[in-house]
Amino acid sequence: MSAMQPIETIEVETLTVGCDGGGGALGHPLVYLTLSAEGRAECPYCSRRYILKEGAKTGTHGH
């Protein structure tokens, strides 16, 4: 049995992110993910979690 890798959480400053699993032999096809209204997204391939960085200016708040 192999140990499970901890799920990586990545802070981002945009509402759309591209994930390729880190590239190389362990990567996966590039997919683009759109963060939810809560500012979160999870990659369906590698389960990396993307969260909107606190204070990020996304242009969605009408400022």
Side-chain angles (χ1 to χ4, degrees), residues 2-62:
S2 64
M4 290 286 295
Q5 290 289 333
I7 295 173
E8 189 174 1
T9 299
I10 301 169
E11 287 189 333
V12 296
E13 296 187 20
T14 58
L15 294 177
T16 302
V17 296
C19 182
D20 64 2
L26 299 177
H28 58 69
L30 177 63
V31 291
Y32 289 95
L33 310 168
T34 301
L35 275 58
S36 67
E38 293 79 32
R40 299 180 180 275
E42 184 172 315
C43 179
Y45 286 99
C46 66
S47 297
R48 278 185 173 170
R49 291 186 183 136
Y50 292 89
I51 60 170
L52 190 62
K53 188 174 187 177
E54 193 170 328
K57 305 222 183 322
T58 59
T60 59
H61 299 292

